Amino acid sequence: MLSQRMKDALNKQILMEAQSSQSYLAMGSWAEIQPGLKGVTKFFFRHSDEERMHMLKLIHYVNERGGFAVIPALEQPVMTFVSLKAAFEQLLKHELKVSESINDLVEIALAEKDYATHNFLQWYVMEQMEEEKLARDCNDKLEMIGDDKSGLYLFDRDIMTLDQE
């Protein structure tokens, strides 16, 4: 059984994961209307789907543990970006915020001696380590590319392989 504090915190995380999905969906929509960013578009849309799955996993967990997962209203995400680099900087900033939130959940679980939730959250801890690394790698590559169009072409072509590294 989840404590009220844990249920509230998990429902807050459900909101964060839903907002992440919306943000990446908006990034994908923006990328799709930019010339030559088919790979980046696919990347953002796939990450939107992944964030939705993270949200669903939390919803099921809360409901299975005797709580009630609240489906949140969402804020309008940022819809346009001045550059691809700015979009990926936003992605990294957001992933760091998600990691902080996951760490707060782990802290609550330990404080309440809720070892089942602590165990459940370890998947999210590992996932966030991967997400942060991927976001940093993308930002590092875009920094290296600068304004080089051929580098941007290669980045777009290869971005889906970055996920497997």
Side-chain angles (χ1 to χ4, degrees), residues 31 35-43 46 84 88 138 141-142 145 148-165:
L37 293 181
K38 290 188 187 312
V40 169
T41 298
K42 190 176 184 179
F43 173 87
R46 185 168 86 194
L84 186 60
F88 275 93
C138 288
K141 288 182 185 303
L142 287 168
I145 290 167
D148 179 34
K149 297 289 186 200
S150 60
L152 187 56
Y153 169 81
L154 293 174
F155 178 84
D156 183 72
R157 185 193 70 185
D158 296 341
I159 191 165
M160 296 306 286
T161 64
L162 291 176
D163 257 340
Q164 284 93 39
E165 290 180 356

Side-chain angles (χ1 to χ4, degrees), residues 126-143:
M126 296 303 296
E127 181 69 14
Q128 280 310 119
M129 288 172 57
E130 292 171 14
E131 294 291 334
E132 283 185 36
K133 180 185 181 314
L134 177 60
R136 281 192 183 93
D137 288 350
C138 288
N139 277 278
D140 289 348
K141 288 182 185 303
L142 287 168
E143 183 68 33

Side-chain angles (χ1 to χ4, degrees), residues 81-155:
F81 302 89
V82 296
S83 66
L84 186 60
K85 189 173 185 317
F88 275 93
E89 286 170 351
Q90 179 68 31
L91 178 130
L92 175 58
K93 183 179 172 184
H94 185 76
E95 289 299 340
L96 292 171
K97 185 177 169 185
V98 172
S99 292
E100 184 179 324
S101 182
I102 296 293
N103 289 338
D104 290 346
L105 286 171
V106 170
E107 186 175 324
I108 292 167
L110 288 173
E112 299 208 351
K113 297 184 179 182
D114 182 348
Y115 301 113
T117 301
H118 176 267
N119 186 53
F120 169 77
L121 291 170
Q122 294 312 298
W123 181 87
Y124 285 90
V125 170
M126 296 303 296
E127 181 69 14
Q128 280 310 119
M129 288 172 57
E130 292 171 14
E131 294 291 334
E132 283 185 36
K133 180 185 181 314
L134 177 60
R136 281 192 183 93
D137 288 350
C138 288
N139 277 278
D140 289 348
K141 288 182 185 303
L142 287 168
E143 183 68 33
M144 189 170 42
I145 290 167
D147 294 328
D148 179 34
K149 297 289 186 200
S150 60
L152 187 56
Y153 169 81
L154 293 174
F155 178 84

